[in-house]
Amino acid sequence: MAGKLYLCATPIGNMEDITFRAVRVLKEADLIAAEDTRHSIKLLNHFDIHTPMTSYHEFNKVEKAKRLVQMMLEGKQVACITDAGTPGISDPGEELVRQCHEAGIPVTSVPGPAACVAAVTMSGLPTRRFCFEAFLPSDKKEKARILEELKRETRTIVIYEAPHRLVRTLGELLEALGDRQISICRELTKKHETVFRSTLQQAADYYEQNEPKGECVLVLEGRSAAWLEMEKEASWQDIPLDQHMERYLSQGMDKKEAMRQVARDRGISRRDVYQMLLKS
């Protein structure tokens, strides 16, 4: 009989977040395919797991997956783990899962921590619908294409970012999407976990002065349906500011919230909206 692939979620920071089932599966598997064996050995040692490991990462994922599939066809049980969180989400596990399905090998998930889900639930932003972008592409043209798509995204947006690129990414998001609400979740499940709620502009200004530390998950507010409707009718430059305000006031928003939404739509600050209204 063919073996099986187990996608085992591992802690994203706090070792206590691993499940009893994940520990058992990792102990009982014939082999653990780990994104970084040097990193994962700390996890295995912590839980007294002595299962053999093999390296399975972005640069060997296709050829190594073929070998792992062959082992499973011969009856071996393989557990796949990533450096942190759930395998298969924005990591090489996706390729292994694809090849297993093509070969008729059963795939199951041993669920647990996922940074994107943890961040969304902590963000204070709408959670009913959200889209996950993982890390923005490094290629400039591809990144510009993604940012253009995100301009009209109405769902809450989730993006991963490393601390040394955070300031640049916040600036790019601000320029492309305009100012809007954001929650920056850092060091999730760890001792210094923080959720920094602000606007994109405020966050960009803050991290220009304060060096970011720790891996970050950015949770951004999506565009409102009203914004998309108005965009179809005309560009913002063609809509007088007072009419723009009236659109939101007529929907039951108070003046403060309406000003905030107008500022997001136009990519300017709420203070600018207030000053423009005073002059009109």
Side-chain angles (χ1 to χ4, degrees):
M1 291 181 62
K4 196 172 190 177
L5 175 65
Y6 295 85
L7 301 172
C8 293
T10 55
I12 58 178
N14 193 319
M15 286 290 195
E16 294 179 359
D17 290 338
I18 199 165
T19 67
F20 292 120
R21 182 183 173 209
V23 172
R24 177 181 60 78
V25 168
L26 291 173
K27 286 184 175 181
E28 293 177 356
D30 296 301
L31 182 68
I32 297 172
E35 189 173 9
D36 185 341
T37 55
R38 295 166 301 178
H39 176 86
S40 295
I41 192 63
K42 300 173 186 177
L43 174 78
L44 269 58
N45 287 341
H46 185 85
F47 291 103
D48 195 30
I49 299 169
H50 304 286
T51 305
M53 270 196 300
T54 188
S55 179
Y56 178 71
H57 50 71
E58 183 65 27
F59 303 104
N60 71 355
K61 64 182 181 182
V62 176
E63 290 304 315
K64 191 60 170 286
K66 292 178 181 178
R67 281 182 268 166
L68 292 171
V69 165
Q70 185 57 45
M71 292 176 65
M72 285 181 274
L73 287 173
E74 294 169 359
K76 300 294 184 182
Q77 310 296 317
V78 175
C80 178
I81 59 175
T82 184
D83 287 347
T86 301
I89 299 179
S90 187
D91 78 9
E94 179 183 10
E95 172 65 22
L96 181 56
V97 171
R98 184 186 67 79
Q99 290 198 29
C100 281
H101 282 301
E102 290 180 352
I105 295 169
V107 177
T108 190
S109 175
V110 182
C116 57
V117 174
V120 168
T121 59
M122 297 167 64
S123 69
L125 292 170
T127 60
R128 189 177 70 84
R129 300 169 66 245
F130 64 90
C131 69
F132 175 60
E133 280 296 332
F135 290 93
L136 292 174
S138 55
D139 180 80
K140 290 184 178 180
K141 288 185 178 180
E142 180 66 8
K143 182 189 294 184
R145 183 185 68 79
I146 295 295
L147 291 174
E148 186 63 30
E149 290 179 2
L150 292 179
K151 283 182 181 181
R152 294 167 178 78
E153 179 57 67
T154 59
R155 295 170 294 179
T156 297
I157 301 165
V158 184
I159 296 171
Y160 287 163
E161 193 49 280
H164 65 280
R165 292 193 300 263
L166 180 62
V167 172
R168 182 184 68 187
T169 296
L170 289 173
E172 291 170 341
L173 290 169
L174 181 60
E175 181 179 355
L177 309 183
D179 204 12
R180 59 176 73 184
Q181 294 292 309
I182 184 173
S183 289
I184 300 177
C185 304
R186 295 176 46 257
E187 295 287 82
L188 288 171
T189 77
K190 299 178 184 177
K191 181 179 180 180
H192 299 293
E193 172 185 276
T194 61
V195 179
F196 181 55
R197 294 196 64 199
S198 66
T199 65
L200 266 172
Q201 182 67 67
Q202 291 168 344
D205 292 343
Y206 176 83
Y207 284 112
E208 281 281 1
Q209 303 299 321
N210 299 272
E211 182 183 1
K213 297 178 181 178
E215 297 299 315
C216 303
V217 184
L218 315 182
V219 186
L220 289 92
E221 175 184 38
R223 282 296 190 193
S224 67
W227 183 90
L228 293 177
E229 180 183 343
M230 293 173 68
E231 187 190 47
K232 292 177 183 177
E233 298 175 7
S235 67
W236 296 126
Q237 289 75 20
D238 297 331
I239 300 175
L241 189 67
D242 57 346
Q243 290 183 26
H244 194 166
M245 279 286 294
E246 185 56 36
R247 284 291 186 95
Y248 290 118
L249 292 171
S250 65
Q251 295 174 24
M253 289 187 185
D254 61 30
K255 189 172 182 179
K256 185 177 180 180
E257 179 59 28
M259 288 173 60
R260 183 181 294 117
Q261 190 63 55
V262 168
R264 293 171 194 154
D265 292 345
R266 293 180 177 244
I268 58 179
S269 70
R270 194 174 66 182
R271 181 180 300 174
D272 290 338
V273 174
Y274 178 72
Q275 293 296 332
M276 292 165 69
L277 288 172
L278 285 179
K279 295 175 182 178
S280 62

